[in-house]
Amino acid sequence: MRGRLAIGSLWTAGIRVFINLLGAANTLVLARLLTPSDFGLVAIATIVFTIVNAFTELSLASALIQHPDPKRKHFDTAWTLNVMRALIVAAILFCSAHVIAIVFGDKRLVLITYALAFTSLVTGMVNPKMVEFRRRLSFHQEMFVELANKLAGLIVAITIAVLFRTYWAIVFGLLAAQLTGTLLSYLLIPYLPRFSLIHWRNLFSFSSWLALSSGFNAINYRADQLIVGGVLGTSSLGQYTVGDNLASLPVRESTTPLSYVLFPAFSKAQDDKPRLRDMYYRAQRLLVAVALPVGVGFALVAEPLVHLVMGPEWSSAALVIQILSTIFALHAFSMPLTPLAMGVARTRMLFKRDVVNLLVRYPLIFAGLFSGGLLGLLLARCVSGLFGVMLDMYLARMLVQASLIRQVRNSARALTATLAMVLTVWGLESLGVDGSNLLEIACLVFAGAITYFGITAMLWLWSGRPAGPEQEAMEMFQFLQRRLQSRHVTADKPEHSNSV
């Protein structure tokens, strides 16, 4: 399984690099062509869409992955339920469009909400058989679909933005991406789904708590944007949402290759608790080792990078990135918890966790926003984010007896190396390398990366080469080397045979 996970992780990592670049390019180019108010306006409708979508999320793909042997009727039932859900989401959005426009005082929100309702219908038609790739721990097909989605959305959005300079560029970019994904899902796995509800109880038994958890999670992490739009206006909302999205982008894209494959891996080992605990520790160590330098490093260069690439009018977005990118990096300590709980069918625990996070988060957010504005809100998110990380680590202890002290100690080298990286970058800035141009930003990034990897390697060797991300990287490299050698040997045999 480790070998298949290695291949799956590398496939997703390679394609994720391009997806990451496309997503960043899309946001940065649109930020140059459109205004913060344009982003804020579309954000209001998309936040409502996200929350409604999350509360009706059935997580049927996860239910099919967790099922030991799904048949055609299971896939047909999943497709039927997804279509019914898409119709409900579209109807809710259609009926609430005018209410949203009245609440936020902008009639343009009506047509934007209608367009997102149509997007929901397109998404609901996706091929349920796509989940077979993840069941077989084969991930590159879905990654290619996601890459095509991003590329289609980028081309459509930038084309419309260049020609018309309108917020509709963002909306039609989203729609183009969803249409591309749905069409490609049927091209990759030809399948004609049929209407069926035979196994709805079986699928719901797994996904019902995930739906509630998804809804509360969406409120946890998206409803604050509606509050910002209502209190501070669409321009501040645009700064906040763009900064939030950019802050999460490096950590999300660098850790997804591993976190994406954890759920099917945990599902296959769900009856072996010692093995699950070991897998959890190893996944956590690797995620932290990747996320910390990426997230903290991005925070260090956010201000000069945003000013240089997006322009001085996006200065508030730079502040958002500086604060939230570090918090997103620390979330790596809790990233394995969700796939672990899903893998052992403890989805009710995730729902309870999200309710607790909601009850802690929003009193802090309201207090921070009304007492300190945008900065107060960001500080409140720091406090609530750290609470969420500690809660997830405690829940992992409940599930697989993962010691809290060991969870932190396992990543001591990554924490130390990240601190050294921060001190290096600050030292260079004090000497005048302040990132005023792309060359200086590149120097800061290069110096930080060299410091992080150098300190990590030194601490690993000094500790006697213990198990950890460094060992995982070496083993993965050796595994891939053996795979390549075996393929060369196999390819040479027919040729040798013919010559004889």
Side-chain angles (χ1 to χ4, degrees), residues 165-483:
R165 301 296 177 99
T166 173
Y167 56 87
W168 281 106
I170 306 172
V171 179
F172 282 110
L174 294 173
L175 179 58
Q178 296 302 327
L179 277 170
T180 302
T182 299
L183 291 174
L184 285 178
S185 70
Y186 288 97
L187 290 175
L188 282 174
I189 302 184
Y191 182 72
L192 184 61
R194 303 167 185 168
F195 283 95
S196 174
L197 292 171
I198 292 177
H199 294 292
W200 73 271
R201 290 182 185 275
N202 182 278
L203 296 177
F204 258 63
S205 65
F206 176 85
S207 61
S208 57
W209 288 109
L210 280 179
L212 290 172
S213 175
S214 175
F216 276 92
N217 201 41
I219 292 178
N220 268 333
Y221 294 102
R222 298 303 294 271
D224 60 317
Q225 297 176 3
L226 288 178
I227 298 170
V228 171
V231 175
L232 302 180
T234 55
S235 181
S236 294
L237 175 59
Q239 300 267 5
Y240 182 60
T241 54
V242 169
D244 195 351
N245 290 336
L246 288 175
S248 66
L249 187 65
V251 172
R252 184 183 67 238
E253 299 301 336
S254 61
T255 56
T256 295
L258 178 60
S259 58
Y260 191 76
V261 304
L262 288 180
F263 169 47
F266 285 141
S267 295
K268 290 181 179 295
Q270 60 184 295
D271 297 323
D272 189 346
K273 185 165 288 187
R275 186 182 178 196
L276 273 176
R277 181 169 56 251
D278 181 62
M279 291 171 68
Y280 175 85
Y281 282 140
R282 296 172 71 170
Q284 186 186 57
R285 284 196 302 259
L286 186 54
L287 286 167
V288 172
V290 172
L292 273 182
V294 171
V296 175
F298 188 43
L300 290 171
V301 299
E303 184 176 6
L305 186 63
V306 168
H307 188 274
L308 190 65
V309 177
M310 298 171 64
E313 66 272 17
W314 289 95
S315 58
S316 295
L319 175 64
V320 175
I321 295 171
Q322 286 177 310
I323 295 176
L324 295 187
S325 185
T326 303
I327 295 300
F328 288 137
L330 292 174
H331 279 176
F333 279 97
S334 62
M335 282 180 186
L337 187 276
T338 296
L340 174 64
M342 292 169 60
V344 297
R346 294 290 297 276
T347 53
R348 186 174 181 177
M349 173 184 285
L350 297 178
F351 168 68
K352 292 179 178 179
R353 175 203 64 181
D354 291 332
V355 172
V356 171
N357 279 329
L358 179 68
L359 295 175
V360 171
R361 180 184 174 91
Y362 275 90
L364 290 172
I365 282 179
F366 276 107
L369 180 62
F370 287 103
S371 63
L374 182 60
L375 179 59
L377 169 63
L378 294 173
L379 294 178
R381 284 194 60 178
C382 289
V383 176
S384 64
L386 290 174
F387 171 81
V389 170
M390 291 186 291
L391 177 60
D392 279 5
M393 292 170 67
Y394 175 76
L395 293 176
R397 179 188 175 190
M398 292 178 58
L399 284 176
V400 291
Q401 286 76 53
S403 165
L404 294 175
I405 295 176
R406 184 175 174 185
Q407 290 186 61
V408 176
R409 192 178 62 226
N410 279 346
S411 299
R413 292 192 298 277
L415 289 166
T416 304
T418 301
L419 178 60
M421 178 187 73
V422 171
L423 294 175
T424 299
V425 173
W426 283 352
L428 288 173
E429 289 177 341
S430 68
L431 295 174
V433 185
D434 56 0
S436 56
N437 54 62
L438 286 177
L439 180 60
E440 290 192 358
I441 293 175
C443 289
L444 292 174
V445 172
F446 181 74
I450 291 295
T451 301
Y452 178 81
F453 288 115
I455 296 295
T456 299
M458 182 183 69
L459 292 174
W460 182 58
L461 293 172
W462 180 71
S463 303
R465 302 187 179 187
E470 305 87 354
Q471 187 67 33
E472 297 282 352
M474 290 185 62
E475 290 179 359
M476 186 179 294
F477 174 77
Q478 291 169 358
F479 170 80
L480 293 173
Q481 193 176 35
R482 289 194 299 270
R483 280 278 289 241

Side-chain angles (χ1 to χ4, degrees), residues 43-75:
I44 292 172
T46 54
I47 293 163
V48 175
F49 168 71
T50 300
I51 294 174
V52 174
N53 204 47
F55 264 109
T56 58
E57 176 61 52
L58 300 178
S59 300
L60 297 174
S62 299
L64 290 171
I65 291 173
Q66 210 270 342
H67 195 284
D69 186 25
K71 305 298 182 183
R72 178 186 174 92
K73 288 297 183 181
H74 288 94
F75 290 103

Side-chain angles (χ1 to χ4, degrees), residues 12-81:
T12 53
I15 300 175
R16 276 281 169 185
V17 170
F18 292 101
I19 293 174
N20 194 359
L21 292 173
L22 289 175
N26 188 42
T27 301
L28 295 175
V29 172
L30 291 179
R32 276 290 187 181
L33 297 172
L34 305 177
T35 66
S37 293
D38 290 329
F39 279 90
L41 181 67
V42 177
I44 292 172
T46 54
I47 293 163
V48 175
F49 168 71
T50 300
I51 294 174
V52 174
N53 204 47
F55 264 109
T56 58
E57 176 61 52
L58 300 178
S59 300
L60 297 174
S62 299
L64 290 171
I65 291 173
Q66 210 270 342
H67 195 284
D69 186 25
K71 305 298 182 183
R72 178 186 174 92
K73 288 297 183 181
H74 288 94
F75 290 103
D76 289 341
T77 301
W79 181 82
T80 303
L81 290 172

